[in-house]
Amino acid sequence: MIVLLIGISLLVALGFLVAFLIAVKKGQYKDTHTPAIRVLFDNETENENKEENNSESK
Amino acid sequence: MSESKNIVVSLVCFHCGDECKDDSIKIDEKLFCCNGCKTVYEILDQNKLCNYYNLDQTPGISPNFNFGNRFDYLDDPSTIQKILDFQDENISKATFHIPQMHCSSCIWLLENLYKLNNAVTHSQVDFLKKELSVTFIHNKISLKELVKLLTSIGYEPQILLESVEQKTENKVSQTLHLRIGVAGFCFLNVMVFSFPEYLGIDVNDSFLKTFFVTLNFILSLPVVFFSGWEYFGSAIKGLRKKIINIDFPISLGILALFGRSVYETLSQTGAGYFDSLTGLIFLLLIGKFFQEKTYSYLNFERNYKSFFPLSVTIKSIDPASDGQEGTEKSIPINKLMVGNRIIVRKNEIIPADSILFNGDGRIDYSFVTGESKPVSKVSGEMIYAGGRQLGSAIELEVIREVSQSYLTQLWNNDIFNKKSESFFTNFSNVVSKRFTIFVLLTAFISAGFWLPSSFATAINVFTAVLIVACPCAIALSVPFTFGNAMRIFGRNKFYLRNTSVIEDLGKIDSIVFDKTGTITQLGKSDLVFTGTVLNSFQQKMIKSLVRNSTHPLSLKIYNSLEADEFYPVTKFDEIPGLGITGVVFGNLIKVGSKEFVNQRLEADTITTKIFVSINDETLGHFSITNSYREEIDEIIKTLSKRFKLSLLSGDNEGEKFNLLKFFNKEDELLFNQSPENKLEYVKSLQSLNKKVLMVGDGLNDAGALKQSDVGIAVTEDISSFSPACDAILDASNLKMLPKFLNYSQSAIKIIYISFVISFLYNLIGLSFAIQGMLSPLIAAVLMPLSSISVVMFATLSTNLLAKKRGLLSQ
């Protein structure tokens, strides 16, 4: 029983390790600054609406 | 600079935020300072990218549309090949360094490049590295066009010979990440499985016992052989060169711990020390990670090539037409050969020593000598590399290759190639070498001593000695103390090349200052007019005249005079090196050197004075006084108490009087110093066994900066800075220099204390281990404990000191 539980816990942990390794391989740790800024940009559709509003108000 | 006080609200360019001269250039009530900015706005507006302006106020950078054939070298297939990261039939990938990137708007615009040109499929920014990687369809847009596109929106990529020559992607940090991940994972799991052992729970079930131990053994394998390879690899490399480096005893310690644990597992005599083993490697790697992270963004080692243009325009001479006419083409600079006829346009840098063949040379050597007055050259004269042509295009014949030019030679002087060895790295290497031999001997002798009485004790003693004596605390204290100190310096805009600079800084006893650009502010020198007070009409006439000249001094006069309208100037003439003349409303105006303006006066070479005459009546002269950086007197006062100070200047003695206000009488003030003089001066100080700190602007004193024990380049703009020096200091923080020096000295003391602590650990541990009183388990606990306590001590004490010194906010 204990052996099974430990096996499962190890597998779960291993899953996280694999996730981490994939993240590293994909270069997620190469640049930790830019994505934080990028996420704040509005997406396309909103952009254009906003622009139109802006140009109207100006 | 320009004082348009009559305008209440200053007109600010909608694109770049610069002041607008008037409101003549505008679209939709948006003002622009120049047509360049207006064009960028139009491009962005057409492509519905004006969100750019919502993200940040006036984010743009004034673009330069004057391409000429500047980017022609990008047509050269071999150059393209060097720049591209990747290429297949359809797409190409390239990474550019764009120093102009400065705000979130920049990121947004650069990542929306595909909207400006649909040949760009993807663009991504790395803001901290100021890099843009672009994927584009090379059938639709060439690399040259892409670079032109970037330049036209104000983001000109910095393509340097350097970066073209060595394009090796740094994969080291990725491997380190992986190693830490694996080590961390295994360490934590091993800890969990070791819990029964820790709590002393008596596991009667021998199956579970073996199960746990086997699991730990399996988990430790990747740690030792993958994560630990960081150390084994380095130790083996060292051994191949017949050097025992600090990684060798660490490797030996790891191996002893591992060997001992495996032995216990196989012989089923104990649980082994897998927890200590994995924990040790994990902690060691974390330390290494911190160290690397601190200076991964600070890699600023560049050489003279960074300054030189990438391409030159050569004029190929057709032998059939007797050298008369030829075609112009752009070639990469490394293909430039002796005898080539090259064309250097206005504001271009002369790439190689050459002879002026055609045209008037007006060369600004401020880059080499620091003297801002341009030198005029006539046909047949020799022109050294590194000067910048200010006048119209000239034709030159190359007489020396780029790599042999005067400037290059200065840069290539031995010292530039000398890699100074850090004392502490040396010290810890020497210590670990001696220590390792000592430890090995102790281990064998004590094992031999115990062998007759008990084999088990002998093995115990042997491993315990090896483990407890592993000098990893010594290895850790240096990177942690210096790494943290470097981080603290970085926060204060003082960027070091590597940690050994701190060590050198702490030993400094004399400081040499460069004047121009270091203790004076570049481009901020004040212009003072002495003589008859100029009325506003005269001022307007002079301003109208100097407007026609691009000479730096003319620009200074232009900026210092107030005038809201300009008069037409006729018969304008500029005599290089002497001055300018022109006629305004029938008044003959001369602006220039003394002998040029008034023949009767004697030439005066002491100070830079620009004389003005109207209708041959000399009105007076403008003189340039340097404006000193704020608090310079305090810095010098503080420093002069503890260091021997000297000042070197490429300029003439005109400033001596002003400088004496700051410096003591015993300090040496030297003028008219060429870059080589400066280098020799530093050398002469060093021959008197002085440890010299050179503070310069890094342009004309690069040789001296490198020769000195520590060379600090003071700069206004860190991102665009280049030459080889040991540290870069933001000009605004020059006043912190005394604090930095004090702090470096303290950092060295901290390291000594750390050394003492870890030696004590080792000695006490060793003495117990030899007597057989220390089980390897306690030894393995003691080892990371000593490492951790040393690391804690180093980090906390550096932080605490920084707070005390005001280098770190509370």
Short mmCIF file of all heavy atoms in Angstrom, two decimals, chain B residues 295 419-425 478 482 486 496-507 709-710 726 748:
data_model
loop_
_atom_site.label_atom_id
_atom_site.label_comp_id
_atom_site.label_asym_id
_atom_site.label_seq_id
_atom_site.Cartn_x
_atom_site.Cartn_y
_atom_site.Cartn_z
N TYR B 295 25.40 38.72 -13.78
CA TYR B 295 26.06 39.39 -14.90
C TYR B 295 25.73 38.89 -16.29
O TYR B 295 26.43 39.18 -17.22
CB TYR B 295 27.57 39.52 -14.69
CG TYR B 295 28.33 38.34 -14.18
CD1 TYR B 295 28.66 37.28 -15.02
CD2 TYR B 295 28.78 38.32 -12.88
CE1 TYR B 295 29.40 36.22 -14.53
CE2 TYR B 295 29.51 37.27 -12.40
CZ TYR B 295 29.82 36.22 -13.22
OH TYR B 295 30.54 35.19 -12.76
N LYS B 419 44.33 39.15 -19.34
CA LYS B 419 43.18 38.84 -18.49
C LYS B 419 43.69 38.78 -17.06
O LYS B 419 44.48 37.92 -16.71
CB LYS B 419 42.58 37.48 -18.87
CG LYS B 419 41.66 37.57 -20.07
CD LYS B 419 40.22 37.73 -19.61
CE LYS B 419 39.28 37.93 -20.76
NZ LYS B 419 39.16 39.30 -21.18
N SER B 420 43.25 39.73 -16.28
CA SER B 420 43.77 39.75 -14.92
C SER B 420 43.14 38.63 -14.10
O SER B 420 41.95 38.41 -14.14
CB SER B 420 43.49 41.10 -14.27
OG SER B 420 42.11 41.29 -14.20
N GLU B 421 43.97 37.93 -13.39
CA GLU B 421 43.50 36.83 -12.57
C GLU B 421 43.04 37.39 -11.24
O GLU B 421 43.72 38.19 -10.62
CB GLU B 421 44.64 35.83 -12.35
CG GLU B 421 44.68 34.72 -13.36
CD GLU B 421 43.56 33.70 -13.14
OE1 GLU B 421 43.26 33.39 -11.98
OE2 GLU B 421 43.01 33.23 -14.15
N SER B 422 41.89 36.97 -10.82
CA SER B 422 41.41 37.42 -9.53
C SER B 422 42.22 36.79 -8.42
O SER B 422 42.50 35.59 -8.45
CB SER B 422 39.94 37.05 -9.39
OG SER B 422 39.62 36.91 -8.05
N PHE B 423 42.56 37.61 -7.47
CA PHE B 423 43.35 37.10 -6.34
C PHE B 423 42.57 36.04 -5.59
O PHE B 423 43.10 34.99 -5.23
CB PHE B 423 43.71 38.24 -5.39
CG PHE B 423 44.21 37.78 -4.06
CD1 PHE B 423 45.46 37.19 -3.94
CD2 PHE B 423 43.42 37.88 -2.93
CE1 PHE B 423 45.92 36.75 -2.71
CE2 PHE B 423 43.87 37.45 -1.71
CZ PHE B 423 45.13 36.89 -1.59
N PHE B 424 41.29 36.31 -5.38
CA PHE B 424 40.51 35.37 -4.58
C PHE B 424 40.27 34.07 -5.31
O PHE B 424 40.33 33.01 -4.70
CB PHE B 424 39.18 36.00 -4.15
CG PHE B 424 39.36 36.92 -2.98
CD1 PHE B 424 39.16 38.27 -3.10
CD2 PHE B 424 39.77 36.41 -1.75
CE1 PHE B 424 39.35 39.11 -2.02
CE2 PHE B 424 39.96 37.24 -0.68
CZ PHE B 424 39.75 38.60 -0.81
N THR B 425 40.01 34.16 -6.59
CA THR B 425 39.87 32.93 -7.36
C THR B 425 41.19 32.19 -7.29
O THR B 425 41.24 30.98 -7.06
CB THR B 425 39.51 33.25 -8.82
OG1 THR B 425 38.59 34.32 -8.84
CG2 THR B 425 38.92 32.05 -9.50
N VAL B 478 33.16 33.48 -1.92
CA VAL B 478 33.57 34.50 -2.89
C VAL B 478 32.43 34.87 -3.84
O VAL B 478 32.06 36.04 -3.93
CB VAL B 478 34.84 34.05 -3.66
CG1 VAL B 478 35.19 35.07 -4.72
CG2 VAL B 478 35.98 33.84 -2.71
N PHE B 482 30.74 38.65 -3.50
CA PHE B 482 30.97 39.54 -4.63
C PHE B 482 29.73 39.65 -5.50
O PHE B 482 29.40 40.73 -6.01
CB PHE B 482 32.16 39.06 -5.45
CG PHE B 482 33.48 39.43 -4.83
CD1 PHE B 482 34.65 38.80 -5.23
CD2 PHE B 482 33.55 40.41 -3.86
CE1 PHE B 482 35.86 39.15 -4.67
CE2 PHE B 482 34.77 40.76 -3.30
CZ PHE B 482 35.92 40.12 -3.71
N MET B 486 27.96 43.05 -6.27
CA MET B 486 27.81 43.49 -7.64
C MET B 486 26.36 43.87 -7.93
O MET B 486 26.08 44.84 -8.63
CB MET B 486 28.23 42.35 -8.56
CG MET B 486 28.73 42.79 -9.88
SD MET B 486 29.66 41.46 -10.60
CE MET B 486 28.69 41.16 -12.02
N LEU B 496 29.67 46.35 -13.05
CA LEU B 496 31.01 45.79 -13.10
C LEU B 496 31.08 44.68 -14.14
O LEU B 496 30.09 44.00 -14.39
CB LEU B 496 31.39 45.21 -11.74
CG LEU B 496 31.22 46.13 -10.55
CD1 LEU B 496 31.67 45.42 -9.30
CD2 LEU B 496 32.01 47.38 -10.75
N ARG B 497 32.25 44.54 -14.70
CA ARG B 497 32.40 43.49 -15.70
C ARG B 497 32.32 42.11 -15.04
O ARG B 497 31.67 41.22 -15.52
CB ARG B 497 33.73 43.64 -16.42
CG ARG B 497 33.85 42.57 -17.49
CD ARG B 497 34.96 42.86 -18.42
NE ARG B 497 36.20 43.00 -17.72
CZ ARG B 497 37.29 43.48 -18.27
NH1 ARG B 497 37.25 43.91 -19.49
NH2 ARG B 497 38.40 43.58 -17.61
N ASN B 498 33.04 41.95 -13.95
CA ASN B 498 32.93 40.69 -13.23
C ASN B 498 33.26 40.94 -11.76
O ASN B 498 33.61 42.05 -11.36
CB ASN B 498 33.85 39.62 -13.83
CG ASN B 498 35.27 40.08 -13.90
OD1 ASN B 498 35.74 40.79 -13.02
ND2 ASN B 498 35.97 39.70 -14.95
N THR B 499 33.15 39.89 -10.98
CA THR B 499 33.27 40.08 -9.54
C THR B 499 34.69 40.44 -9.11
O THR B 499 34.87 41.09 -8.09
CB THR B 499 32.85 38.81 -8.80
OG1 THR B 499 33.45 37.70 -9.45
CG2 THR B 499 31.35 38.65 -8.83
N SER B 500 35.68 40.05 -9.91
CA SER B 500 37.04 40.33 -9.46
C SER B 500 37.34 41.83 -9.46
O SER B 500 38.31 42.28 -8.86
CB SER B 500 38.05 39.57 -10.31
OG SER B 500 38.02 40.05 -11.62
N VAL B 501 36.49 42.60 -10.14
CA VAL B 501 36.68 44.06 -10.15
C VAL B 501 36.52 44.61 -8.73
O VAL B 501 37.23 45.53 -8.32
CB VAL B 501 35.69 44.73 -11.12
CG1 VAL B 501 35.82 46.24 -11.05
CG2 VAL B 501 35.93 44.26 -12.53
N ILE B 502 35.58 44.04 -7.98
CA ILE B 502 35.35 44.50 -6.60
C ILE B 502 36.63 44.35 -5.79
O ILE B 502 37.02 45.24 -5.05
CB ILE B 502 34.22 43.68 -5.94
CG1 ILE B 502 32.96 43.81 -6.75
CG2 ILE B 502 34.01 44.13 -4.50
CD1 ILE B 502 31.82 42.97 -6.22
N GLU B 503 37.25 43.20 -5.98
CA GLU B 503 38.49 42.91 -5.28
C GLU B 503 39.56 43.95 -5.61
O GLU B 503 40.22 44.48 -4.72
CB GLU B 503 38.91 41.52 -5.77
CG GLU B 503 40.05 40.91 -5.10
CD GLU B 503 40.40 39.65 -5.85
OE1 GLU B 503 39.49 38.89 -6.25
OE2 GLU B 503 41.59 39.41 -6.05
N ASP B 504 39.67 44.27 -6.90
CA ASP B 504 40.66 45.27 -7.31
C ASP B 504 40.29 46.65 -6.77
O ASP B 504 41.16 47.41 -6.36
CB ASP B 504 40.75 45.33 -8.84
CG ASP B 504 41.27 44.03 -9.42
OD1 ASP B 504 42.03 43.35 -8.70
OD2 ASP B 504 40.91 43.69 -10.55
N LEU B 505 39.00 46.95 -6.77
CA LEU B 505 38.54 48.25 -6.28
C LEU B 505 38.93 48.45 -4.82
O LEU B 505 39.28 49.55 -4.41
CB LEU B 505 37.01 48.34 -6.38
CG LEU B 505 36.41 49.01 -7.61
CD1 LEU B 505 34.90 48.96 -7.51
CD2 LEU B 505 36.88 50.43 -7.74
N GLY B 506 38.86 47.37 -4.07
CA GLY B 506 39.16 47.47 -2.65
C GLY B 506 40.62 47.75 -2.36
O GLY B 506 40.98 48.14 -1.26
N LYS B 507 41.48 47.54 -3.35
CA LYS B 507 42.92 47.70 -3.13
C LYS B 507 43.48 48.98 -3.70
O LYS B 507 44.68 49.24 -3.65
CB LYS B 507 43.65 46.51 -3.75
CG LYS B 507 43.42 45.23 -3.00
CD LYS B 507 44.33 44.15 -3.55
CE LYS B 507 43.55 42.94 -3.97
NZ LYS B 507 44.14 42.24 -5.08
N ASP B 709 44.47 49.36 -12.90
CA ASP B 709 44.02 48.18 -12.20
C ASP B 709 42.50 48.06 -12.27
O ASP B 709 41.97 46.98 -12.40
CB ASP B 709 44.49 48.21 -10.76
CG ASP B 709 46.00 48.17 -10.69
OD1 ASP B 709 46.54 47.07 -10.74
OD2 ASP B 709 46.63 49.25 -10.66
N VAL B 710 41.86 49.21 -12.16
CA VAL B 710 40.42 49.25 -12.40
C VAL B 710 40.14 50.46 -13.28
O VAL B 710 40.56 51.57 -12.97
CB VAL B 710 39.61 49.38 -11.10
CG1 VAL B 710 38.12 49.39 -11.42
CG2 VAL B 710 39.91 48.25 -10.15
N ASP B 726 36.59 48.10 -17.03
CA ASP B 726 36.22 47.13 -16.00
C ASP B 726 34.84 47.39 -15.45
O ASP B 726 34.19 46.50 -14.93
CB ASP B 726 37.24 47.15 -14.87
CG ASP B 726 38.60 46.75 -15.37
OD1 ASP B 726 38.70 45.70 -16.00
OD2 ASP B 726 39.57 47.51 -15.16
N ILE B 748 35.76 42.88 0.79
CA ILE B 748 36.94 42.03 0.91
C ILE B 748 37.09 41.53 2.34
O ILE B 748 37.39 40.36 2.58
CB ILE B 748 38.19 42.80 0.45
CG1 ILE B 748 38.10 43.00 -1.05
CG2 ILE B 748 39.45 42.07 0.83
CD1 ILE B 748 39.25 43.72 -1.64
#
